[in-house]
Amino acid sequence: MVEGVQHKQADAGTRYDVFHTDCPARDVVDHVTSRWGIWVLISLRSNGLRFYELRESIQGISEKMLAQTLRALVQDGLVWREVEPTTPPRVTYGLTEFGREVGEPLTELFDRITRRLSPRSAE
């Protein structure tokens, strides 16, 4: 069972007023650029991960914050959630097509930043 909102592309002439507080695109941008949203999208860029795998890949995130971030990104249609009816349930998360589109420039930004940083010395 895969959960997620399916967003259709806006018509070519449709524009959102992202500076207006009621703009639906503004919520998506807030979730993507939240403290943990970027890291979830980058972590899922290669393949689907289970909850605990995501938690392990993003150091410093609490289970509560990961759950809240994933819930928002699933609701926005950026991340899919698949539940296998086992005991305990096996829950896997991955990027939707929309999530891959949004995550691509974030990954590129992350890669550019890390290339420009000088290597850390071994401590």
Side-chain angles (χ1 to χ4, degrees), residues 5-84:
V5 176
Q6 293 298 316
H7 290 282
K8 63 177 187 164
Q9 261 186 312
D11 296 332
T14 304
R15 298 287 299 170
Y16 288 103
D17 182 4
V18 294
F19 295 103
H20 193 278
T21 58
D22 292 337
C23 178
R26 196 170 182 163
D27 286 337
V28 176
V29 171
D30 286 345
H31 296 150
V32 168
T33 60
S34 70
R35 178 173 183 189
W36 300 110
I38 291 172
W39 301 116
V40 168
L41 293 176
I42 289 173
S43 293
L44 292 173
R45 71 181 175 242
S46 302
N47 55 345
L49 295 173
R50 294 182 63 191
F51 185 88
Y52 79 91
E53 293 171 323
L54 265 172
R55 191 185 67 225
E56 293 296 317
S57 72
I58 306 171
Q59 293 186 4
I61 192 169
S62 68
E63 286 189 21
K64 177 183 176 184
M65 286 310 304
L66 179 56
Q68 288 177 355
T69 302
L70 285 167
R71 193 174 305 116
L73 295 174
V74 167
Q75 186 175 0
D76 292 338
L78 296 161
V79 171
W80 53 260
R81 178 180 186 264
E82 182 177 18
V83 180
E84 293 180 37

